[in-house]
Amino acid sequence: MGFNQPIQISELKNHSILQALTTEANGWVPGVMSTEVLRAQEEWEAVDNIQPETGNQASSDQSVQLISFSEALQHFQTVDLSSFKKRIQPTIRRTGLAALRHCLFGPPKLHRGLREERDLVLTIAQCGLDSQDPVHGRVLQTIYKKLTGSKFDCALYGDHWEDLGFQGANPATDLRGAGFLALLHLLYLVMDSKTLLMAQEIFRLSRHHIQQFPFCLMSVNITRIAIQALREECLSRECNRQQKVIPVVNSFYAATFLHLAHIWRTQQKTISDSGFVLKDVEVLAKKSPRRLLKTLESYLAGVSKGQASLLGAQKCYGPQAPHSKDLTFIGVCDLPPQSSEGTWLI
């Protein structure tokens, strides 16, 4: 390239000098970014998407547009889900002493006006991934782009999904017990600037050379815990207090994932511990949901101020490992079923 030849704006950040200035030196990795830095980075990355004025809008429609959580949720609120709704069991069936104990000492029942919203959550959990539905495809594309930082579309099937922590080339095969709600939860996590930082931090932890675990598969298991907590009425008090169900379930999912990641990081857990860690996390989450939600609030407040996260400094994570197909992951559905109130049935 000659000195007099202009450089297009869209190519500027690929210039060798700029790359040299921004390359991480001596393995140094920055700590947690503030939301302001993240927004600036997103604006800078958006330079690649600037299209020249050609009078033809077709070029700007080539890439799949990101989808927000609210838009994806609205899709499920408007389509006919009656066949899926027939499958749900909104609450856990209890008999004998378990029913009496729950009546006397258990959480309050969900307000009648919130039950339709609760049923929608459980109905979405019965829906599978439909590769022919463009909204489903946009959700997958958004999750992939936000976690990897890629600006290019990816195939709906392929080994790249294993890099994100699915077990195979087709994410649909890993949604057992959580359905499309598992993908909506991931979408919720990555489409807010504060929870995106949390998701990226947990994603980096999942690729630790010793403590690695399948990120998306772990997330699916956290969604399963959230579903069970909702059905067992563990979240009813908080839902009644906020007069909402979906935001409470979303926050509970995020808080539980954060708690699991904190345990995983600080207690040096590995993939062989996955089933036991999930079991312990589930027990605590159902027993003290408000405690986890408060911890999440504190974490997100710290992220907003650019403070270090609960997972520890980024520099402590060590080398990043590629996803291994040899990992043996034990999820909540692989554990022996509990008796009485704690059942895995969805």
Side-chain angles (χ1 to χ4, degrees):
M1 177 181 295
F3 288 106
N4 294 327
Q5 183 176 352
I7 303 174
Q8 294 185 3
I9 292 178
S10 60
E11 294 297 323
L12 181 58
K13 66 177 178 175
N14 296 323
H15 197 268
S16 58
I17 296 178
L18 187 57
Q19 287 181 336
L21 290 173
T22 57
T23 298
E24 295 170 356
N26 300 321
W28 178 82
V29 181
V32 177
M33 293 184 293
S34 68
T35 53
E36 289 78 9
V37 173
L38 182 64
R39 292 192 189 99
Q41 177 181 319
E42 289 176 345
E43 291 176 2
W44 173 245
E45 290 177 347
V47 168
D48 274 353
N49 296 325
I50 296 177
Q51 301 291 336
E53 293 291 339
T54 61
N56 187 349
Q57 297 299 322
S59 59
S60 62
D61 297 331
Q62 292 177 355
S63 178
V64 173
Q65 295 297 311
L66 300 183
I67 187 170
S68 66
F69 175 84
S70 59
E71 184 181 353
L73 177 62
Q74 185 178 20
H75 170 74
F76 284 96
Q77 291 172 325
T78 55
V79 298
D80 181 14
L81 300 177
S82 55
S83 61
F84 298 103
K85 189 174 183 178
K86 294 176 182 178
R87 306 177 189 173
I88 70 171
Q89 183 183 332
T91 57
I92 295 293
R93 297 191 186 101
R94 298 177 177 87
T95 58
L97 290 177
L100 179 60
R101 183 171 61 250
H102 183 78
C103 180
L104 294 176
F105 307 109
K109 289 187 176 296
L110 188 69
H111 290 168
R112 185 175 300 275
L114 298 175
R115 293 176 187 175
E116 183 177 349
E117 189 178 353
R118 173 203 61 193
D119 291 352
L120 175 62
V121 172
L122 298 177
T123 300
I124 295 174
Q126 292 291 331
C127 300
L129 173 62
D130 183 359
S131 60
Q132 302 302 313
D133 189 323
V135 171
H136 290 208
R138 287 177 64 196
V139 169
L140 276 179
Q141 296 282 358
T142 300
I143 293 169
Y144 180 82
K145 290 178 179 179
K146 284 290 186 176
L147 282 177
T148 64
S150 173
K151 294 177 287 296
F152 303 101
D153 294 342
C154 63
L156 294 182
Y157 306 102
D159 293 343
H160 51 281
W161 294 114
E162 296 181 39
D163 294 335
L164 262 61
F166 287 105
Q167 290 188 108
N170 181 6
T173 60
D174 287 334
L175 304 183
R176 178 168 60 102
F180 203 86
L181 183 64
L183 296 179
L184 279 189
H185 277 166
L186 278 170
L187 182 67
Y188 160 77
L189 209 60
V190 302
M191 284 306 286
D192 180 272
S193 59
K194 290 182 292 186
T195 53
L196 172 60
L197 290 171
M198 185 184 91
Q200 291 172 334
E201 189 173 9
I202 299 175
F203 184 55
R204 287 193 293 269
L205 174 62
S206 76
R207 298 176 68 82
H208 187 276
H209 67 297
I210 295 176
Q211 293 185 268
Q212 61 177 311
F213 60 86
F215 175 84
C216 286
L217 192 56
M218 187 72 83
S219 174
V220 172
N221 277 268
I222 300 298
T223 295
R224 290 171 182 160
I225 292 175
I227 292 170
Q228 284 301 111
L230 181 63
R231 294 182 63 234
E232 294 179 20
E233 302 177 286
C234 302
L235 304 181
S236 294
R237 180 175 282 105
E238 189 63 24
C239 290
N240 291 343
R241 188 182 73 84
Q242 295 191 26
Q243 285 298 296
K244 298 175 183 177
V245 174
I246 292 175
V248 171
V249 174
N250 287 348
S251 295
F252 177 80
Y253 153 81
T256 304
F257 207 171
L258 178 65
H259 179 66
L260 180 140
H262 178 63
I263 291 176
W264 201 275
R265 173 71 185 92
T266 58
Q267 298 183 18
Q268 302 296 306
K269 299 299 184 181
T270 64
I271 193 67
S272 61
D273 303 311
S274 58
F276 303 104
V277 173
L278 281 165
K279 178 73 170 180
D280 291 343
V281 166
E282 183 197 20
V283 171
L284 175 64
K286 290 179 179 178
K287 182 180 179 180
S288 306
R290 183 61 182 161
R291 172 183 167 187
L292 290 188
L293 292 172
K294 284 290 188 181
T295 301
L296 177 67
E297 291 175 7
S298 298
Y299 170 86
L300 295 180
V303 168
S304 297
K305 298 176 182 178
Q307 298 174 349
S309 79
L310 295 177
L311 299 185
Q314 170 65 21
K315 63 181 181 181
C316 297
Y317 282 168
Q320 301 290 292
H323 174 73
S324 173
K325 297 183 180 181
D326 298 326
L327 293 178
T328 303
F329 179 84
I330 300 177
V332 293
C333 286
D334 300 312
L335 295 171
Q338 292 179 317
S339 60
S340 66
E341 298 184 14
T343 173
W344 299 122
L345 175 64
I346 292 179

